[in-house]
Amino acid sequence: MANVAVVGAQWGDEGKGKIVDWLCERADMVVRFQGGHNAGHTLVIDGKIYKLALLPSGVVRPGKMAIIGNGVVVDPWALVGEIERVAQQGLKITPENLRVADNASLILPLHRDLDAYREDTNKGIKIGTTRRGIGPAYEDKVGRRAIRVCDLADAGVLEQKVEGLLAHHNALRRGLGRDEIDGGQLLAELKAIAPRILPFMDQSWKLIDEARKSGQRILFEGAQAFLLDIDHGTYPYVTSSNTVAAQAATGSGTGMRGVGYVLGIAKAYTTRVGGGPFPTELEDEVGRGLLARGNEYGTNTGRPRRCGWFDAVLVRQAITIGGIDGIALTKLDVLDGMKEVRICTGYRLGTTSLDRFPAGMAEQGRVEPVYETLPGWTQSTRGARSFAELPAEAIKYVRRVEELIGAPVALLSTSPEREDTILMRDPFRD
Ligand code: GDP
Ligand code: IMO
Ligand code: MG
């Protein structure tokens, strides 16, 4: 029985939350392994909408253990806020159903502040981050300065770490002409939030190991997506973590064989939020139609998402590099009613034809998509729960996508609702 990792195969917001929630019925444990509250995962269950950022999507189902793994950067105030927010929707989050890795690094207010400052003052490359402090927090982690969850339990270590961290940050802040951070105040803030976090702290790698050994099924929930991966994405327009499924192992503390099946999530078209190259972007009526019908606004930030045609080159690259076994194709219904639909099958760069996405920033910005046009469909696919309900043209589209990306479609999603999902191959059994 394979454990499954769910990862984004485009630029994020593919519907990972919906698919993780749906698959979770078949799982016992759900583990987040990278990113932080830059993620925004929307779940719709019988019309009730849940918006999750840091909490694994398994928390909406009773009896499942949710884990925030060591690869996640945890903003303790955001976590407490989210727990309180979902409590108002009737979800009780306790150590019975949530654990946080003791060795996860923290996002502090100074990270958020630095993220926003850079976004506001950067004159060159505009990343368009979520301003949640993700990049600066990962910088401190790799710089070996980070404060980790376990440090909250040790006043002596905490004080020493705050001092070390501020030696770096205050030097930086002085250089930028910004106010220095008061160590005593930061320490007091951390001591005040610690009792809200520490009850959830655990050696999560051990829980995962025990779950594996007792035959439980584990779902690893990716945030962001392949094209936002720090190594493989559209650098520097990326997030600051590895988003590919291999990160599920290091970001949760399980061996390479901990993940059996990698399910990539892709929309039936493409979206991106923030800056950076996007070869199939449509800045016309068709793009605006996708934005409106797909309700393409950021789950947490509310920013409108840029929209374009499905790019088979990029998804094929995500499949190859990320070791994706099958795809969940979402938002097929958003293409309903279009006269024709297009798929990008390659690029042109000047006089050269490309079947891959180049690594250079300038080239990524210059490639011109080469399209294949397929007939659209007039019937509605919205809410379809079996393949047989789909119009012939929609089936043709799905089959052509499979051919071009070189992987099977294991699941199809036809609306935001949990149950409007078509299972073609069970990732847990494949
Ligand atoms: P995530 O970040 O990958 O979890 O995706 P988001 O939740 O940020 O964005 C996906 C959006 O599409 C959410 O509003 C979902 O409710 C919605 N959604 C998911 N699947 C479908 C689908 O098949 N059809 C439609 N119309 N909406 C969907
Ligand atoms: P989910 O999990 C879409 C984008 C930001 C920005 C870049 C860097 O909901 O799919 P960051 O704040 O991470 O430093 O921003 O990455 N980004 C996302 N785009 N979905 C997400 O998460 C994203 N998380 C970050 O818009 O371009
Ligand atoms: Mg999202």
Side-chain angles (χ1 to χ4, degrees):
M1 200 75 69
N3 291 322
V4 176
V6 171
V7 291
Q10 293 161 322
W11 273 292
D13 304 325
E14 297 92 347
K16 296 177 291 295
K18 167 179 167 164
I19 299 297
V20 168
D21 167 56
W22 190 85
L23 280 173
C24 203
E25 190 186 10
R26 295 151 199 261
D28 304 289
M29 181 179 263
V30 187
V31 185
R32 275 282 305 270
F33 54 87
Q34 47 71 230
H37 65 311
N38 50 347
H41 299 168
T42 314
L43 282 51
V44 185
I45 303 158
D46 293 332
K48 197 163 170 184
I49 300 173
Y50 300 91
K51 290 177 188 283
L52 303 174
L54 199 46
L55 291 172
S57 296
V59 295
V60 298
R61 289 192 187 257
K64 313 286 175 183
M65 176 57 90
I67 298 217
I68 296 179
N70 57 276
V72 176
V73 278
V74 181
D75 180 327
W77 297 275
L79 179 58
V80 167
E82 191 171 337
I83 290 172
E84 285 172 353
R85 193 158 43 77
V86 299
Q88 288 168 8
Q89 291 190 284
L91 296 182
K92 207 165 162 218
I93 310 293
T94 69
E96 283 291 299
N97 61 356
L98 175 73
R99 302 289 168 86
V100 182
D102 52 3
N103 53 349
S105 296
L106 299 184
I107 301 182
L108 304 176
L110 59 85
H111 295 128
R112 218 182 311 130
D113 187 56
L114 184 57
D115 194 357
Y117 175 80
R118 285 180 182 155
E119 282 292 293
D120 292 336
T121 57
N122 196 341
K123 296 209 170 47
I125 290 163
K126 288 255 180 242
I127 308 287
T129 73
T130 59
R131 296 172 173 254
R132 306 264 151 114
I134 305 294
Y138 275 118
E139 286 170 32
D140 280 344
K141 173 179 175 171
V142 179
R144 296 168 292 192
R145 293 180 294 270
I147 294 172
R148 308 203 299 176
V149 172
C150 54
D151 300 331
L152 294 174
D154 187 324
V157 170
L158 196 58
E159 196 169 339
Q160 193 186 349
K161 283 225 171 165
V162 165
E163 195 184 327
L165 186 71
L166 291 187
H168 174 83
H169 276 275
N170 279 338
L172 184 64
R173 293 176 72 94
R174 279 194 297 277
L176 296 171
R178 313 215 63 214
D179 292 345
E180 292 189 30
I181 307 282
D182 179 68
Q185 196 186 326
L186 177 58
L187 198 58
E189 285 168 5
L190 285 166
K191 283 181 177 166
I193 199 74
R196 307 289 302 275
I197 301 296
L198 289 173
F200 297 100
M201 181 175 85
D202 210 327
Q203 293 205 296
S204 51
W205 61 269
K206 185 95 174 60
L207 295 175
I208 295 169
D209 185 53
E210 284 163 4
R212 280 184 68 192
K213 286 184 175 144
S214 64
Q216 290 189 24
R217 290 172 171 189
I218 307 170
L219 199 47
F220 295 91
E221 178 178 14
Q224 292 80 54
F226 174 74
L227 291 159
L228 293 169
D229 182 279
I230 187 76
D231 285 286
H232 304 292
T234 45
Y235 193 91
Y237 299 94
V238 291
T239 192
S240 296
S241 64
N242 281 113
T243 59
V244 290
Q247 178 62 22
T250 40
S252 68
T254 186
M256 288 199 316
R257 279 177 285 279
V259 178
Y261 187 99
V262 181
L263 182 69
I265 317 295
K267 280 182 201 182
Y269 50 101
T270 311
T271 65
R272 158 160 226 181
V273 57
F278 181 175
T280 62
E281 182 170 15
L282 294 165
E283 290 173 285
D284 59 6
E285 271 314 304
V286 180
R288 285 188 282 278
L290 292 172
L291 174 83
R293 289 195 306 281
N295 189 27
E296 295 294 354
Y297 296 91
T299 299
N300 286 322
T301 61
R303 292 182 291 176
R305 299 176 183 141
R306 299 154 65 191
C307 298
W309 294 118
F310 187 84
D311 190 329
V313 183
L314 294 181
V315 176
R316 191 163 64 224
Q317 205 145 312
I319 286 166
T320 306
I321 296 173
I324 289 171
D325 296 298
I327 285 282
L329 194 68
T330 61
K331 305 192 98 163
L332 186 67
D333 54 294
V334 175
L335 299 181
D336 289 355
M338 299 186 88
K339 222 191 258 139
E340 54 180 36
V341 282
R342 292 184 176 190
I343 304 178
C344 170
T345 57
Y347 305 121
R348 223 169 262 299
L349 184 63
T351 53
T352 319
S353 294
L354 296 179
D355 62 355
R356 276 159 286 162
F357 198 45
M361 189 172 93
E363 288 183 328
Q364 287 185 347
R366 280 201 345 259
V367 295
E368 302 272 350
V370 175
Y371 288 117
E372 181 173 305
T373 303
L374 280 81
W377 51 93
T378 47
Q379 305 95 307
S380 168
T381 65
R382 192 162 168 108
R385 294 187 181 183
S386 75
F387 207 58
E389 285 173 57
L390 301 179
E393 294 81 4
I395 291 177
K396 222 182 259 171
Y397 182 74
V398 173
R399 294 298 182 212
R400 187 63 184 136
V401 164
E402 286 180 317
E403 273 171 19
L404 289 167
I405 64 176
V409 170
L411 285 151
L412 264 173
S413 170
T414 57
S415 103
E417 264 291 340
R418 176 192 270 173
E419 296 304 335
D420 292 341
T421 307
I422 303 171
L423 177 67
M424 293 160 76
R425 291 159 176 253
D426 186 346
F428 279 112
R429 294 189 177 276
D430 223 8

